[in-house]
Amino acid sequence: MQLSAAAPISTLSCERALAALQSNPQGLSTEEALRRLQRIGPNRLPPQRRRPLMLRLTDQFTHFMALLLWAAGGMAFLARTPELGWAIWSVVLINALFSFWQDFQAERTLAALSNVLPRQVRGWRDGRLQVLSADDLVPGDLIELEAGDQVPADCRVIEAAALYLNAAVLTGESLPVVRTAEPQPQRLRTSEASNLLPAGTTVAAGRAQALVYATGGDTEFGQVAHLSAGTERAPSTLEVQVGRIVRTVTAIAVSMGAFAFLAGVLLVGVGPVESLVFAIGIIVANVPEGLLPTVTLALALAVKRMARERALVRRLSAVETLGCVGVICTDKTGTLTANAMEVQNTWSSDEPLLLLAAGLCCNASEQVGDPTETALLQGAQRAGLDLEKERQRLPRQQELPFDSERRMMSVLVEWHNDPRWPKPSAWMVCCKGAPMELLQRCSHWLRAGVITPLGPAERQLVSSANDVMARQGQRVLAVACRPCDQPQLEEQHLVLVGLVGLYDPPRPGVSQAIAACHRAGIKITMVTGDYGLTAEAIARQIGLLDAPAHAGPDPVRVVNGSDLNRLSDAQLRQLLKFRSRLVFARMAPEQKLRLVQAYRALGEVVAVTGDGVNDAPALRAADVGIAMGRSGTDVAREAADIVLVDDNFATIVSAVRHGRGVYDNIRRFVLYILASNVAEVAPFLTMLALRIPAALTVLQILAVDLGTDLLPALGLGADPPRADVMSQPPRHRDQPLLDRPLLRQAYLFLGLLEGTLAMLGYGLTWWSYGIALPQLRAIAPALLHHQASAELVDLQHQASAVALGSIVFAQAGTALACRGVNRFKPNALLWLGIATELISFVVLQGWPPLARTFQMAPIPSQLWWWLLLCIPAPLLAVQLRSNWKAHHHGSNSVMA
């Protein structure tokens, strides 16, 4: 629904537009806004169309790994072993249902997390400027917009100050366009009328007061939204790496299966059908069925943990990328500091006039708005000024908003010959901004109520006062005025009134977070628009820079934007390469982007924080863009991968910790899953080498993959980051998940150990009945061709049960070994998985119906000691190996 007038709202004057929507310059009342909200509904676009649930479910049955298992099951049916075929297809079914459930849960989690950070706007209700939820806006609401804000609904401009709009989202035009409050002579589209702000566009520069006239689906954006379908996103780095793992392991599995078939037929003399069945079993045993759901679970758990710690992940791929971040380029204000500005001192001969001029040159109220401006207003209030009355008595007529080039803001007010200025004046230009930039525009200064010229000595005095305040970590603003007889806003020939020092204390915990980054080998670079001395003082307070070795600024550690412009790209890279602790001050947005590009050219993985519209290019250029949730603009949040709900640097460090933890967890459960593959293949290789019966059957191999391995693997994916995860240097961006060290640990160490234990347990069972290797070779043909006596078959089933139990119990120890130093720390899902693993085996070999199905017999009591020894065996082996590697080479094992 849209409240509108008979004539297009763009053709109406501001007064008639307010009247048409039954609003006024003080905004709607809360009661009226609630009535309209109930009638019209929330300001949300219709939900985006998604791929239907049933099609998303069928996707889980048709990916590469599933197709391989479908084919293996089909071959089992052709080999006249339907029970094996159904078992393999059950693998596909279980894996598909689990993956679909995890995907569905992850989608619900992200949808819920998006509500943690609702869009907010500043609007007028009950005559007061308040922070409102964008979802609660209704036609008739009056809102305030500044550079970087996303327009939340279709709006009519009521007041504009140097207003430029980026309407590329609707028009495709990349250049910002001017917007004014003047009525249009004829009806135009919303995106074309110069006094309308369509929903979804962005304020590129300036400031506006705007009247909402259409919300939700009634906006122009809403009208075209239903035409757009969901965009298919490119696979993330993690998805690509997991795909490589699946293809690599599948290639190994198919190769081993083909070798097993040929060897069984040509070397052992087994029939083609029996050889095909065993080859299928080897293929199935080597396919990592639990890999995909475990990766999904690991990411989902990491996202939840990060959300609890106030980091909202917008792109799942960023979780894994965080693990290799080596450089963090961070803002100062609000990120390293508490964003709790307050006026600490002033430097002026007329403090009330100083604070009055600064307060008139603010767009905030004392509770809502930019923290610097609210601090100025609160400082004026403490000095006894009633700025609400002052603003009414000295009304603003024009404004030049702050921008990063001029570094200042100016307003023109009706001065009415106020006696607080030394000479009568009808109009007054009030300016506030960076001291050195504003000082260049000043020709005089106000001292002891007298306006006198600013000479070199006086300018040096002002500069010295600025430096003294800045060295104390204060953000210094200069305030100047210019009396005039005509209403003309000019920023030249100003009269300096004085300096205001604002202090924003470091956030609690930031020093510890900086120290943690240094220990983790992560470079921290402060990038700020503040004065160099102020930035340096804060950097030293939080430990980003070392204590000064001499008085004055360190030109090698603190680089101003003007100095950066004089550096070539090669010189900048050299500086970044050999200096790990740097502060860049007075930085323009394009310089921040250049800095990010230089770091990336050195091969660094860069995380960048930002909050303004001008930070968007750097956020996009970074490997991980991190936007501020509270102070950040909509543009910054849209460009970022992660949004900090609390704007706290310590949260970034926590997010990096979780990113490293996810990478470690994925490597651990990949190691765990692959370790049992060798043990499952070992019986057939031993059969080929020693001409003895196979220690395991295909169904027994599937029992490991389906009945025992899955839950412990999921438990490893749920492990929290280990305590020392931040004591290691960041990994290289190209380091693969499945590298040679992991393959060696999986196949040549843990897998070989488990295979040896399985075959020793198999042989120990026969030996306990007095049957040694020569006798076992002699009875092998009878067992293979199903011609052995019932007693021998029962012994074979007992030996198979011990071999299978050796793998299962050793996998319990392997799961703990894969955790490294965390092996005995709480993890409910892992301990539940290990308990389920062991109990499942006990039931499997002890319950007659299952034992017959899986061709096992109950294990004699005198052999259970062997199975119990298999649990600590991997732990002991890993510890001995770690000690040896630490003594000889140092260790970077995944189990460290």
Side-chain angles (χ1 to χ4, degrees):
M1 176 181 178
Q2 176 180 343
L3 296 178
S4 63
I9 196 168
S10 61
T11 64
L12 303 178
S13 66
C14 296
E15 293 77 11
R16 289 183 61 196
L18 285 166
L21 289 164
Q22 302 173 27
S23 187
N24 60 75
Q26 287 74 44
L28 300 174
S29 67
T30 301
E31 293 78 10
E32 175 61 23
L34 183 59
R35 283 194 293 270
R36 295 188 185 189
L37 184 64
Q38 292 173 341
R39 185 168 67 253
I40 299 170
N43 178 34
R44 299 194 194 110
L45 291 177
Q48 186 181 23
R49 289 188 302 170
R50 288 188 54 83
R51 188 170 174 81
L53 280 175
M54 286 305 299
L55 291 181
R56 288 157 62 193
L57 177 60
T58 58
D59 290 342
Q60 303 297 334
F61 292 95
T62 56
H63 57 76
F64 179 77
M65 192 167 65
L67 293 176
L68 179 66
L69 292 176
W70 283 121
M75 288 189 290
F77 280 104
L78 291 177
R80 298 188 299 277
T81 54
E83 68 281 357
L84 176 58
W86 288 119
I88 295 173
W89 285 356
S90 70
V91 174
V92 184
L93 177 63
I94 293 172
N95 192 50
L97 291 177
F98 190 87
S99 296
F100 171 74
W101 176 250
Q102 285 300 322
D103 178 58
F104 180 69
Q105 287 293 98
E107 178 185 317
R108 290 183 58 188
T109 299
L110 289 176
L113 290 178
S114 65
N115 295 325
V116 172
L117 196 68
R119 292 185 303 149
Q120 294 183 328
V121 296
R122 294 183 300 129
W124 292 89
R125 290 273 176 89
D126 301 319
R128 294 185 298 108
L129 187 62
Q130 305 178 34
V131 176
L132 308 173
S133 169
D135 288 353
D136 294 339
L137 290 179
V138 294
D141 266 324
L142 205 61
I143 63 174
E144 302 283 339
L145 297 169
E146 294 182 344
D149 289 343
Q150 189 179 64
V151 181
D154 283 355
C155 300
R156 164 71 160 87
V157 179
I158 301 299
E159 294 180 7
L163 181 63
Y164 286 83
L165 187 75
N166 186 340
V169 68
L170 288 177
T171 65
E173 176 59 52
S174 60
L175 294 177
V177 292
V178 177
R179 287 293 184 260
T180 69
E182 299 301 320
Q184 301 294 293
Q186 59 185 358
R187 184 189 187 105
L188 295 170
R189 290 183 58 194
T190 305
S191 57
E192 297 172 348
S194 64
N195 61 0
L196 299 184
L197 307 177
T201 58
T202 305
V203 178
R207 188 181 63 83
Q209 187 180 83
L211 176 68
V212 175
Y213 69 88
T215 60
D218 292 328
T219 63
E220 181 169 336
F221 196 85
Q223 295 296 322
V224 300
H226 70 278
L227 299 177
S228 62
T231 303
E232 290 290 334
R233 296 190 61 189
S236 68
T237 305
L238 180 61
E239 291 168 333
V240 171
Q241 292 224 37
V242 171
R244 289 175 182 168
I245 293 174
V246 171
R247 288 192 295 272
T248 300
V249 175
T250 299
I252 294 173
V254 173
S255 300
M256 294 181 95
F259 172 75
F261 176 78
L262 294 175
V265 173
L266 301 178
L267 299 179
V268 183
V270 181
V273 173
E274 289 83 357
S275 295
L276 178 61
V277 170
F278 209 93
I280 293 169
I282 288 179
I283 292 174
V284 173
N286 279 279
V287 172
E289 295 90 354
L291 181 61
L292 299 182
T294 309
V295 168
T296 305
L297 179 66
L299 290 175
L301 290 174
V303 167
K304 285 185 176 181
R305 289 192 186 111
M306 292 168 67
R308 286 197 297 268
E309 297 182 20
R310 316 304 286 168
L312 175 61
V313 178
R314 298 186 66 249
R315 295 180 179 89
L316 280 180
S317 59
V319 177
E320 186 262 345
T321 308
L322 277 170
C324 51
V325 164
V327 176
I328 300 176
C329 295
T330 175
D331 287 334
K332 177 182 72 68
T333 304
T335 307
L336 299 174
T337 60
N339 207 19
M341 289 275 190
E342 67 174 28
V343 175
Q344 191 167 63
N345 57 31
T346 59
W347 186 82
S348 174
S349 62
D350 193 337
E351 183 179 88
L353 180 60
L354 174 73
L355 294 175
L356 172 64
L360 292 175
C361 194
C362 289
N363 290 321
S365 69
E366 291 179 14
Q367 289 79 33
V368 180
D370 178 78
T372 300
E373 293 193 344
T374 57
L376 289 172
L377 299 180
Q378 292 165 1
Q381 184 185 45
R382 288 195 298 271
L385 293 172
D386 188 340
L387 279 176
E388 290 298 323
K389 290 183 178 179
E390 296 288 0
R391 284 173 169 177
Q392 293 175 7
R393 195 175 63 82
L394 307 172
R396 180 187 300 184
Q397 299 301 317
Q398 295 181 39
E399 174 187 341
L400 283 178
F402 176 88
D403 65 53
S404 57
E405 297 295 329
R406 292 167 34 253
R407 297 187 183 278
M408 57 186 297
M409 171 187 175
S410 301
V411 297
L412 175 69
V413 300
E414 296 182 28
W415 192 248
H416 302 304
N417 299 318
D418 191 293
R420 285 172 289 191
W421 189 255
K423 296 181 180 179
S425 177
W427 304 87
M428 184 69 73
V429 176
C430 298
C431 311
K432 74 175 193 301
M436 294 300 100
E437 281 77 0
L438 195 61
L439 187 60
Q440 294 175 7
R441 298 173 184 261
C442 292
S443 59
H444 292 72
W445 70 338
L446 184 67
R447 297 297 290 171
V450 179
I451 300 174
T452 59
L454 264 174
E458 290 81 7
R459 291 179 185 274
Q460 182 58 44
L461 184 62
V462 174
S463 178
S464 297
N466 172 64
D467 290 352
V468 169
M469 299 166 75
R471 285 195 183 97
Q472 297 170 0
Q474 297 177 37
R475 181 180 185 185
V476 186
L477 292 178
V479 179
C481 294
R482 179 179 179 271
C484 48
D485 297 327
Q486 301 296 326
Q488 188 172 1
L489 204 169
E490 292 185 359
E491 295 177 327
Q492 298 295 334
H493 307 294
L494 301 173
V495 179
L496 181 70
V497 180
L499 305 176
V500 181
L502 302 105
Y503 185 65
D504 186 9
R507 281 184 178 271
V510 163
S511 297
Q512 293 85 343
I514 294 287
C517 285
H518 290 160
R519 289 193 299 271
I522 299 174
K523 302 175 184 176
I524 307 298
T525 299
M526 180 192 290
V527 186
T528 179
D530 262 355
Y531 189 51
L533 288 176
T534 303
E536 183 180 7
I538 294 296
R540 296 198 189 283
Q541 290 176 26
I542 61 177
L544 195 154
L545 292 181
D546 299 326
H550 55 80
D554 183 349
V556 183
R557 300 277 187 166
V558 182
V559 182
N560 286 308
S562 58
D563 300 324
L564 181 62
N565 287 335
R566 291 192 288 269
L567 295 177
S568 67
D569 290 343
Q571 290 172 323
L572 176 58
R573 289 195 294 269
Q574 284 294 104
L575 173 66
L576 301 181
K577 184 176 182 179
F578 294 106
R579 290 286 180 172
S580 60
R581 303 187 183 191
L582 289 167
V583 171
F584 288 85
R586 285 289 187 252
M587 290 283 283
E590 62 273 12
Q591 293 174 319
K592 188 173 184 178
L593 174 59
R594 183 189 174 199
L595 185 64
V596 172
Q597 292 170 335
Y599 270 124
R600 296 201 69 203
L602 290 171
E604 299 281 7
V605 178
V606 186
V608 173
T609 71
D611 57 5
V613 61
N614 292 327
D615 290 323
L619 290 171
R620 291 193 183 98
D623 295 281
V624 182
I626 303 172
M628 303 298 106
R630 291 181 177 177
S631 62
T633 61
D634 295 324
V635 173
R637 287 194 288 261
E638 286 299 316
D641 304 294
I642 295 174
V643 178
L644 302 185
V645 180
D646 57 0
D647 294 8
N648 193 346
F649 179 83
T651 305
I652 302 175
V653 180
S654 175
V656 171
R657 177 172 168 267
H658 284 294
R660 291 188 174 190
V662 164
Y663 180 82
D664 285 348
N665 285 351
I666 293 174
R667 282 175 60 83
R668 287 192 183 104
F669 65 66
V670 167
L671 173 63
Y672 172 81
I673 289 171
L674 298 183
S676 63
N677 290 355
V678 174
E680 293 165 355
V681 174
F684 181 71
L685 298 179
T686 308
M687 181 182 74
L688 293 177
L690 301 180
R691 301 294 196 271
I692 63 174
L696 297 178
T697 68
V698 173
L699 284 181
Q700 290 167 358
I701 291 173
L702 288 175
V704 174
D705 293 328
L706 291 179
T708 62
D709 265 3
L710 192 57
L711 274 180
L714 295 176
L716 288 172
D719 250 347
R722 67 179 192 269
D724 64 341
V725 73
M726 294 295 285
S727 63
Q728 302 293 325
R731 62 183 173 85
H732 194 271
R733 66 165 71 238
D734 297 325
Q735 181 178 334
L737 276 169
L738 189 61
D739 54 13
R740 289 182 179 178
L742 189 143
L743 282 172
R744 285 197 297 267
Q745 288 178 346
Y747 287 118
L748 301 181
F749 181 64
L750 288 174
L752 189 60
L753 173 65
E754 290 187 16
T756 301
L757 291 173
M759 295 314 301
L760 287 175
Y762 180 75
L764 181 65
T765 306
W766 286 105
W767 181 80
S768 67
Y769 287 97
I771 299 176
L773 181 60
Q775 291 85 2
L776 190 57
R777 285 178 177 173
I779 64 176
L783 288 170
L784 182 63
H785 297 290
H786 310 291
Q787 297 172 352
S789 64
E791 182 181 4
L792 285 177
V793 170
D794 187 64
L795 288 179
Q796 167 68 6
H797 289 175
Q798 280 189 28
S800 290
V802 173
L804 181 65
S806 300
I807 296 175
V808 171
F809 279 64
Q811 277 288 87
T814 298
L816 296 176
C818 288
R819 299 185 74 196
V821 295
N822 287 339
R823 58 186 55 135
F824 296 116
K825 291 187 177 180
N827 180 334
L829 185 57
L830 177 62
W831 288 107
L832 174 63
I834 291 175
T836 303
E837 183 175 39
L838 300 179
I839 293 171
S840 297
F841 172 76
V842 172
V843 173
L844 203 63
Q845 60 84 40
W847 191 27
L850 285 177
R852 285 194 298 271
T853 301
F854 286 92
Q855 299 181 30
M856 289 190 289
I859 299 174
S861 58
Q862 66 269 21
L863 291 177
W864 276 99
W865 65 270
W866 172 257
L867 299 185
L868 296 177
L869 284 178
C870 289
I871 295 178
L875 291 167
L876 180 61
V878 165
Q879 189 61 52
L880 292 174
R881 182 172 182 260
S882 298
N883 292 344
W884 182 85
K885 290 188 68 177
H887 179 70
H888 289 85
H889 308 290
S891 176
N892 61 349
S893 168
V894 72
M895 297 176 294

